[in-house]
Amino acid sequence: AGEFPSYATINRYVQVEDPWLRDCAIPVALQVKGVAKPVLAVLDPLRGGALSSVPQALAKWWNVPRILPPDLKPEWGGDNGGNFLVTPDGIAIVGGNCSYTMRRFLAGMGYGGRLLTVDMWWRFGSQGGGHVDEVFTVLPVPQDPNGFVIAVADPSLGLKLLGDIKRDNIVGELKGLLHSLYQLRHLYPQSFSKDEAVLGMKMAEEVGKLYGALEGGRGPAYFEANLSKKLGRRVASVLEMTIDDLSKGLRALRPGKPQVRFVRLPSLLRHEDDGRGGSMLPEVVNSIILGKDVILPDPLLATFREKTREVLSALGLRCHFIPSATYHNQRGQIHCATVVKRSLTKFIHPRYEPAR
């Protein structure tokens, strides 16, 4: 942001330990009766915490309405902004831990019959699982028949990529990964609280043990035992069922339109204390989409960067990887930590122009 000041606004006045802007303020488009064009607004999910005043402040700053759903339970994590995705043709995708009150409100605001629920119990998180933006994101692809595709964080792909790396190369990659973790802590000590430093060290220790196992010829056995075997198989099965359910739901709600395509991005899961899966490396799917440019967390492994670039470049998108260890150590990522003010009329895929 310091190099490109016109692209970001730096807040130098309020310093808080809670960075998750997306969770507390959700930009939405309103179609107001009697108004031809959609209107930007800010939906306040009552997340609470250090950023509880942000929705009202953003609405005032942007000069747009602030929407406050009635009867919403304060500080319910399933209603946070990271648990919502919307396709360009207006299908809302929410996590299964999204409250009935929020879903009822969304149905009353025009999403009745256009709301799909994705089960996220298997992802680490409070109050019933993780958020959908940890696993899925909607990518604008004008050349696609639908004008968009859905990207998925796929742990099976991550394991396959690691398995495909020659032993000498993977040892080198893990050395680089370990170096990156320590270098980030050295370069940005102010961005690591005591708890975050402990989490970062825990991750570095895991990677260090894996590196040692690889050098001793015990890599595959160690990796399966510590990171993937039971959890990976269970998650792979659940993820495929989730994708299948989501695909069927989209097909049912979009009759006569082409089937939505899913593309896969690499991911790695580790066991969390509650038995569910948490991201071992920064999750590339948790990114910011700015037209044809995608701002992604650096996954720290070169093979993951190359695969991500290969997949997104084939869609006509440009990748920009940035260090994001601070967010990762707090179990979140770039999308969770940003709110983007978007133009509602700059690009509309020809397929959706008549619907508007």
Side-chain angles (χ1 to χ4, degrees):
E3 296 177 20
F4 305 100
S6 61
Y7 288 90
T9 300
I10 308 300
N11 171 16
R12 305 188 187 281
Y13 306 101
V14 179
Q15 301 295 322
V16 295
E17 292 185 1
D18 182 354
W20 309 127
L21 281 169
R22 172 71 188 188
D23 281 346
C24 69
I26 312 169
V28 296
L30 292 180
Q31 192 67 59
V32 181
K33 186 179 290 186
V35 180
K37 294 182 179 181
V39 176
L40 184 67
V42 175
L43 176 62
D44 185 350
L46 293 182
R47 178 177 177 273
L51 299 178
S52 58
S53 62
V54 164
Q56 186 172 357
L58 273 182
K60 184 177 181 180
W61 182 20
W62 292 350
N63 193 28
V64 301
R66 169 180 169 238
I67 304 171
L68 194 61
D71 305 319
L72 204 61
K73 181 180 178 180
E75 300 184 27
W76 178 254
D79 292 339
N80 291 349
N83 219 15
F84 292 81
L85 293 177
V86 180
T87 66
D89 52 351
I91 306 296
I93 302 168
V94 301
N97 51 345
C98 179
S99 70
Y100 169 76
T101 304
M102 177 62 91
R103 281 181 277 176
R104 183 182 61 189
F105 171 76
L106 293 172
M109 291 293 288
Y111 283 103
R114 295 194 293 135
L115 192 65
L116 292 174
T117 302
V118 177
D119 209 339
M120 295 296 297
W121 62 266
W122 52 274
R123 283 290 303 206
F124 177 80
S126 60
Q127 301 168 329
H131 289 166
V132 291
D133 69 351
E134 298 166 15
V135 182
F136 299 99
T137 193
V138 178
L139 298 171
V141 182
Q143 68 272 25
D144 186 89
N146 288 302
F148 70 95
V149 303
I150 295 179
V152 185
D154 186 353
S156 296
L157 175 59
L159 292 174
K160 181 180 183 302
L161 290 174
L162 281 185
D164 289 345
I165 302 173
K166 292 181 180 179
R167 184 178 172 281
D168 291 344
N169 290 344
I170 195 169
V171 170
E173 283 222 15
L174 286 167
K175 280 183 178 178
L177 171 56
L178 199 59
H179 175 73
S180 296
L181 292 172
Y182 284 113
Q183 186 180 48
L184 284 168
R185 290 195 63 228
H186 175 71
L187 292 175
Y188 305 105
Q190 72 280 4
S191 65
F192 287 81
S193 68
K194 183 178 179 181
D195 290 341
E196 291 164 10
V198 171
L199 285 170
M201 285 299 296
K202 183 180 178 182
M203 184 170 70
E205 286 169 8
E206 288 176 358
V207 174
K209 289 176 183 177
L210 175 55
Y211 159 59
L214 283 161
E215 285 211 312
R218 297 173 286 106
Y222 175 89
F223 195 80
E224 287 195 5
N226 287 273
L227 299 174
S228 70
K229 196 170 185 179
K230 292 180 180 178
L231 178 67
R233 288 174 183 167
R234 182 176 60 171
V235 165
S237 174
V238 170
L239 183 60
E240 293 309 314
M241 288 190 292
T242 301
I243 292 171
D244 187 55
D245 289 344
L246 187 52
S247 181
K248 289 177 180 176
L250 288 167
R251 196 157 55 243
L253 296 182
R254 307 169 69 252
K257 294 179 181 178
Q259 186 169 343
V260 175
R261 185 157 61 106
F262 289 80
V263 298
R264 295 167 188 265
L265 300 177
S267 172
L268 282 181
L269 294 182
R270 62 181 176 194
H271 288 278
E272 296 290 353
D273 293 338
D274 64 358
R276 289 180 288 184
S279 300
M280 182 180 179
L281 300 178
E283 205 69 75
V284 292
V285 80
N286 197 305
S287 53
I288 310 172
I289 318 298
L290 302 174
K292 290 187 176 182
D293 294 287
V294 186
I295 315 300
L296 307 112
D298 184 349
L300 302 176
L301 283 177
T303 186
F304 279 30
R305 282 193 295 271
E306 291 163 6
K307 184 62 178 179
T308 301
R309 197 183 301 278
E310 174 192 315
V311 172
L312 298 187
S313 295
L315 301 173
L317 299 171
R318 294 183 290 260
C319 296
H320 308 272
F321 295 101
I322 63 173
S324 58
T326 305
Y327 295 149
H328 180 68
N329 288 342
Q330 295 182 74
R331 293 186 167 93
Q333 258 314 324
I334 296 173
H335 183 265
C336 307
T338 52
V339 176
V340 180
K341 183 182 181 183
R342 299 192 178 276
S343 166
L344 302 182
T345 57
K346 188 172 181 180
F347 170 77
I348 301 171
H349 192 274
R351 179 176 289 280
Y352 308 122
E353 185 66 49
R356 277 198 38 179

